[in-house]
Amino acid sequence: MYYFRPAMPKFFIKTYGCQMNERDSEQVAHSLVARGYERVAHEVEADVVLLNTCSVRDMADQKALGKMGMLGRMAKERPHVVFGFLGCMAQARGESLLKNLPHVDLVVGTQKFHRVADYVEELVARKKSGAAAVNARGYNGMDDLRFSIVDVGEEAGSQSTIRNQQLVPRQATAFVSIMQGCNMHCTFCIVPQTRGAERSRSIDEIVREVGDLVGRGVKEVTLLGQIVNLYGRHEFPKRDGKSPFVQLLETVQEVEGLKRLRFTSPHPIGFRDDLIDAFERLPKLVEHVHLPLQSGSNKVLRAMHRAYTAEKYVDLVRRIRQARDGIAITTDVIVGFPGETEIDYKQTRDLVEEIQFDNAFVFRYSPRRDTPAAEMPDQIDERVKEERNQDLLRIVNKSTRRAGERLVGCNVEILCEGPSKTNPARLMGRTRTNKIVVFPPSPGLRRTGEDSDELVGELVDVQIEQANGFSLYGTPVLPISRAATNDRVRQRTDSPLRT
């Protein structure tokens, strides 16, 4: 039996988890493409199959493990293929991943993404030479020649290695990693163990990356950090009463050609007056803040080590809404945290109903190994968690629908990102408040001879005609003054906490 690899190696990478994981995957993809590898959309086409994993919740762990288990048959049929785990689960579990998945060749942690291409090259070369040995000796398999690489060690300066990414043609948006790690040690969270301590890139490095992305056609960047608004607090001084993060926002704001600036995810304790003031001063900073709540019960917040109260959170939302008209607030909430009583849950429910979030991600508490919450007494029954999850989702869905319905009849600015995933004949984009809008191409917005692709990456005015769940639908209009529309939006986005 003869094994061979095609002249142009191909790789497949699947990402689980958060936007930071997506950004890390793009760094890996860039490094492999730079070495002549071709990215493919399906693992069956690939010579290298990589799963970039998440450990924040058990479901993400199980999905990645299940996927790799299913790939075991492919490993037997195509023994030249390299299989690897990257990211948070790889960091947390390390070499133990090889025990039940013997076809796995590579395990790389969160501070070593920049080394993946080197390791892949080594494994591909070894498998190629191993296949030659198998052929020469007349074996039917390669089990006797199996080897693996595991690297989950810490590495100084790793925060500055996530600086390159592959862009698809006419890509309008991109993520920029500004820091790694977290020092908060929330009792439910494994991130400090998987991502390490806080460490930040320099402002100059970040601005160079943003400038490069804009030069390649990107119009909107999202700054990423585990606790993004605590950026640089250990490395860089305050200046004129402004935190390093606000200094960064001001500097990125000046990048010529950048149209929109976002960031995620902040922590309420890092949302100081200087950051609230930035929403009044920086026009490129969009009208959207994702502000994790986690619980509306002060007792549960203390048990989580969240370091703020429900009352302080409500006041913060009020001040953010005062700073910018029409700003959208989204959040994360955990239900079923150990010791959460019906009274605690009702406090969360009441607060979510009071604030009227534009959207929220609601999670059932999932015990994570080696976190304090996993060892706490009074763990909540799964049935109760599910009931609370579904109940809170009903509240969130109502406020999300109301937020969308307020925009019906208004003209809003959309950054067109490309064809809609559900209907390729239509286009999709996002408002400055991060709401998805689906719309048809409009000949009135194009010059003669151009097709709808010309709208990708462009800012387009769309009149909203329908709100359906989490998406809005509308029709492009010719550029107009938004002054009258903005007045209408302000009048129609009042909520109990807006002033």
Side-chain angles (χ1 to χ4, degrees):
M1 183 180 296
Y2 291 90
Y3 302 103
F4 64 93
R5 294 173 59 250
M8 177 64 77
K10 299 178 181 180
F11 73 95
F12 167 83
I13 184 165
K14 182 174 178 63
T15 308
Y16 299 86
C18 66
Q19 291 158 323
M20 294 183 72
N21 288 30
E22 295 283 357
R23 177 64 190 87
D24 293 334
S25 291
E26 289 309 307
Q27 172 69 29
V28 172
H30 178 275
S31 63
L32 288 169
V33 169
R35 299 190 185 206
Y37 284 69
E38 177 187 349
R39 189 171 188 171
V40 295
H42 305 286
E43 63 265 26
V44 294
E45 305 172 41
D47 306 293
V48 178
V49 177
L50 303 172
L51 305 185
N52 191 8
T53 61
C54 173
S55 272
V56 172
R57 292 174 183 86
D58 185 60
M59 184 176 294
D61 265 22
Q62 296 309 314
K63 283 183 177 179
L65 290 169
K67 178 70 172 179
M68 189 62 82
M70 292 171 60
L71 292 171
R73 175 179 293 181
M74 177 178 164
K76 292 180 179 178
E77 296 172 351
R78 303 177 63 205
H80 75 273
V81 176
V82 171
F83 295 90
F85 276 123
L86 315 178
C88 291
M89 188 178 74
Q91 184 73 40
R93 300 196 180 203
E95 194 170 357
S96 67
L97 289 167
L98 305 178
K99 293 179 181 177
N100 295 321
L101 297 164
H103 61 283
V104 172
D105 307 290
L106 180 64
V107 178
V108 176
T110 57
Q111 297 187 34
K112 300 298 181 79
F113 289 108
H114 58 293
R115 301 199 179 278
V116 170
D118 288 336
Y119 295 147
V120 165
E121 289 275 82
E122 181 178 349
L123 288 163
V124 166
R126 286 191 178 186
K127 287 210 168 188
K128 186 175 182 180
S129 62
V134 166
N135 293 334
R137 298 172 190 174
Y139 297 155
N140 292 318
M142 296 177 65
D143 290 343
D144 293 339
L145 301 172
R146 183 153 299 282
F147 39 80
S148 59
I149 296 174
V150 177
D151 187 355
V152 294
E154 294 184 3
E155 182 162 339
S158 63
Q159 72 274 16
S160 296
T161 63
I162 308 299
R163 58 178 181 265
N164 299 307
Q165 55 185 299
Q166 287 300 117
L167 299 182
V168 300
R170 304 183 65 81
Q171 183 170 325
T173 66
F175 297 112
V176 174
S177 177
I178 68 172
M179 62 189 297
Q180 287 183 337
C182 180
N183 291 0
M184 297 308 295
H185 295 282
C186 298
T187 57
F188 55 81
C189 187
I190 197 173
V191 166
Q193 291 97 302
T194 60
R195 292 272 178 180
E198 288 175 17
R199 51 213 187 276
S200 301
R201 301 171 65 189
S202 72
I203 289 178
D204 287 345
E205 280 183 42
I206 296 164
V207 170
R208 277 196 299 271
E209 182 177 345
V210 172
D212 174 68
L213 291 169
V214 171
R216 296 158 66 190
V218 168
K219 301 293 179 62
E220 172 186 297
V221 296
T222 301
L223 304 181
L224 293 180
Q226 204 65 48
I227 307 291
V228 71
N229 55 338
L230 297 183
Y231 161 84
R233 61 174 175 161
H234 301 301
E235 294 95 339
F236 314 122
K238 284 188 175 182
R239 290 200 173 98
D240 300 323
K242 298 172 185 174
S243 68
F245 183 61
V246 171
Q247 295 172 45
L248 173 64
L249 292 177
E250 290 177 337
T251 309
V252 173
Q253 153 90 20
E254 296 303 315
V255 174
E256 186 175 354
L258 180 69
K259 301 299 184 183
R260 292 180 176 182
L261 176 59
R262 302 182 186 273
F263 60 82
T264 197
S265 285
H267 193 293
I269 69 163
F271 230 104
R272 308 294 186 183
D273 289 343
D274 63 330
L275 181 51
I276 294 174
D277 179 63
F279 280 92
E280 295 186 19
R281 297 186 295 107
L282 304 180
K284 293 181 183 179
L285 191 57
V286 298
E287 294 83 3
H288 174 230
V289 175
H290 186 74
L291 190 66
L293 167 66
Q294 306 305 6
S295 177
S297 160
N298 288 336
K299 185 194 82 176
V300 174
L301 288 171
R302 284 193 298 272
M304 291 177 167
H305 287 183
R306 289 295 288 176
Y308 54 85
T309 64
E311 292 77 15
K312 287 183 178 179
Y313 184 94
V314 169
D315 183 63
L316 176 57
V317 169
R318 179 187 60 80
R319 290 189 290 133
I320 292 172
R321 284 174 167 165
Q322 281 181 330
R324 182 78 71 90
D325 286 331
I327 198 164
I329 309 287
T330 57
T331 197
D332 297 328
V333 182
I334 297 173
V335 297
F337 188 79
E340 182 187 68
T341 64
E342 285 297 331
I343 293 174
D344 295 321
Y345 170 67
K346 185 176 186 303
Q347 290 172 343
T348 298
R349 189 183 196 276
D350 290 347
L351 191 148
V352 169
E353 196 155 25
E354 177 188 6
I355 289 179
Q356 291 290 294
F357 292 105
D358 288 67
N359 202 355
F361 299 100
V362 182
F363 304 100
R364 293 168 292 179
Y365 168 71
S366 175
R368 309 313 295 136
R369 184 178 57 184
D370 300 325
T371 60
E375 305 301 323
M376 288 180 178
D378 301 321
Q379 298 284 328
I380 306 300
D381 183 78
E382 291 297 326
R383 178 185 58 79
V384 174
K385 291 181 190 178
E386 179 62 17
E387 288 174 355
R388 293 175 183 174
N389 179 275
Q390 294 302 318
D391 179 58
L392 197 60
L393 281 174
R394 284 190 287 271
I395 301 297
V396 169
N397 290 342
K398 287 179 182 178
S399 65
T400 299
R401 283 196 296 271
R402 282 193 288 266
E405 289 166 357
R406 283 194 291 266
L407 293 176
V408 173
C410 298
N411 294 341
V412 294
E413 179 191 273
I414 307 302
L415 177 58
C416 182
E417 297 181 20
S420 165
K421 293 180 179 178
T422 57
N423 183 356
R426 291 178 175 264
L427 297 170
M428 66 79 58
R430 294 176 190 268
T431 67
R432 289 174 62 92
T433 56
N434 207 37
K435 294 177 174 60
I436 295 173
V437 179
V438 178
F439 56 97
S442 172
L445 283 177
R446 287 178 271 139
R447 296 184 296 273
T448 302
E450 292 178 339
D451 59 26
S452 62
D453 285 346
E454 290 299 314
L455 293 181
V456 177
E458 298 298 324
L459 295 172
V460 182
D461 278 345
V462 174
Q463 183 174 63
I464 304 302
E465 298 167 343
Q466 181 184 356
N468 183 10
F470 297 103
S471 297
L472 303 171
Y473 298 85
T475 301
V477 296
L478 290 171
I480 61 170
S481 169
R482 295 192 182 88
T485 297
N486 289 343
D487 288 340
R488 294 167 64 192
V489 172
R490 279 196 288 273
Q491 294 169 8
R492 301 173 68 179
T493 53
D494 288 340
S495 78
L497 291 179
R498 288 187 171 95
T499 59

